Amino acid sequence: MTIETLSENKSFGGIQGVYKHTSSETGTDMTFAVYVPDCKAGTKMPVLWYLSGLTCTHANVMEKGEYRRFCAEHGIIFVAPDTSPRGEDVPDDDAYDFGKGAGFYLDATQEPWATNYRMRSYIESELPDVIAANFPVDMDRQGIMGHSMGGHGALTIALRNPGRFRSVSAFAPIASPMNCPWGDKGLPRYLGDDKQLWREYDAVALIEDGARLPDLLVDQGRADNFLEEQLKTPLLDQACSKAGIPATIRLQDGYDHSYFFISTFMGDHIAWAAERLNT
């Protein structure tokens, strides 16, 4: 559980840190960001996990997400991991949507990806233990959120772990990888041709198969150029409606897929989480 501190800066009274540790799941060093609001010694605070999208690292949301003021206000620790394993020996692909920066929060079963690309186990099991051992978190009060590929990760992780997360939300999530080009490319290369295995990494399929959330908040920009072909927001809306999952899915006029969009609605998502985590 040993971590190395790469940087720490005071912000809104708390500490924004970047840390590194050696991961047994990915077989690599992994870097992650944590914001800890100011608190009294011995205080345990709820934790909100943020999963980033394709091509991103922890730095994208840390530098552009504008979450610290809201986390300080509500007393929530914010954790932002990387999106894939990194390192010279880690297999990669020339395309932006596969390989490094595109781990899809799954455990790969196909070579050469299976050894390192174990982001599902890293996020679900290993990193929570690291965070619990090093930061003042109350692991009984967890929320999860994410953007794009990270929205896919947040939804599928929450659906596979019922009762673990009191709060679930997403910005422009990839709602159904089994029905979009990103998934058509990535799922067979990571997981092989058995589409039954793919269903564990598709929010719509998981809901169809009986998984449930207590409720859900999604913001999606209407001007997002990925909306129709890749994100498949209507499929998520339909699946939640059919399953009776209370889903607040908001289509925001004029907003695209960028962090200008995310930062605009970040306060809403943290307030949504706070209502569920601080009770």
Side-chain angles (χ1 to χ4, degrees), residues 81-272:
D82 203 346
T83 54
S84 78
R86 308 278 178 177
E88 292 183 3
D89 296 331
V90 175
D92 198 11
D93 189 272
D94 290 337
Y96 78 95
D97 54 359
F98 192 80
K100 293 179 185 177
F104 276 90
Y105 303 99
L106 52 75
D107 283 353
T109 60
Q110 304 300 298
E111 296 301 338
W113 318 102
T115 299
N116 304 114
Y117 285 77
R118 296 185 51 79
M119 292 302 294
R120 170 182 178 173
S121 292
Y122 178 71
I123 298 296
E124 288 186 354
S125 300
E126 184 177 15
L127 187 57
D129 287 343
V130 172
I131 296 300
N134 290 280
F135 299 94
V137 295
D138 179 353
M139 297 301 282
D140 290 329
R141 294 187 289 160
Q142 296 187 65
I144 192 166
M145 64 193 298
H147 169 233
S148 194
M149 180 186 72
H152 139 79
L155 294 178
T156 56
I157 288 170
L159 286 162
R160 289 193 306 262
N161 293 272
R164 179 169 174 176
F165 300 99
R166 295 189 187 184
S167 167
V168 183
S169 70
F171 301 98
I174 305 173
S176 185
M178 294 178 68
N179 290 287
C180 76
W182 281 331
D184 289 342
K185 177 179 182 176
L187 295 178
R189 293 182 68 185
Y190 282 135
L191 300 172
D193 295 329
D194 185 353
K195 292 189 177 182
Q196 191 61 35
L197 296 179
W198 301 6
R199 298 184 72 83
E200 296 182 22
Y201 302 104
D202 185 299
V204 171
L206 284 165
I207 293 169
E208 291 174 347
D209 292 344
R212 296 292 182 264
L213 298 172
D215 54 16
L216 173 65
L217 171 64
V218 171
D219 275 304
Q220 170 64 61
R222 290 186 187 272
D224 189 327
N225 60 316
F226 297 118
L227 174 56
E228 183 174 347
E229 182 179 32
Q230 300 281 17
L231 304 179
K232 304 297 181 180
T233 307
L235 295 182
L236 179 62
D237 196 1
Q238 294 163 18
C240 288
S241 179
K242 186 175 181 179
I245 296 173
T248 302
I249 298 178
R250 308 188 301 191
L251 297 178
Q252 304 289 359
D253 289 336
Y255 286 93
D256 58 17
H257 201 68
S258 72
Y259 268 88
F260 295 108
F261 157 63
I262 295 168
S263 62
T264 299
F265 299 101
M266 180 64 80
D268 289 355
H269 284 244
I270 294 175
W272 167 277

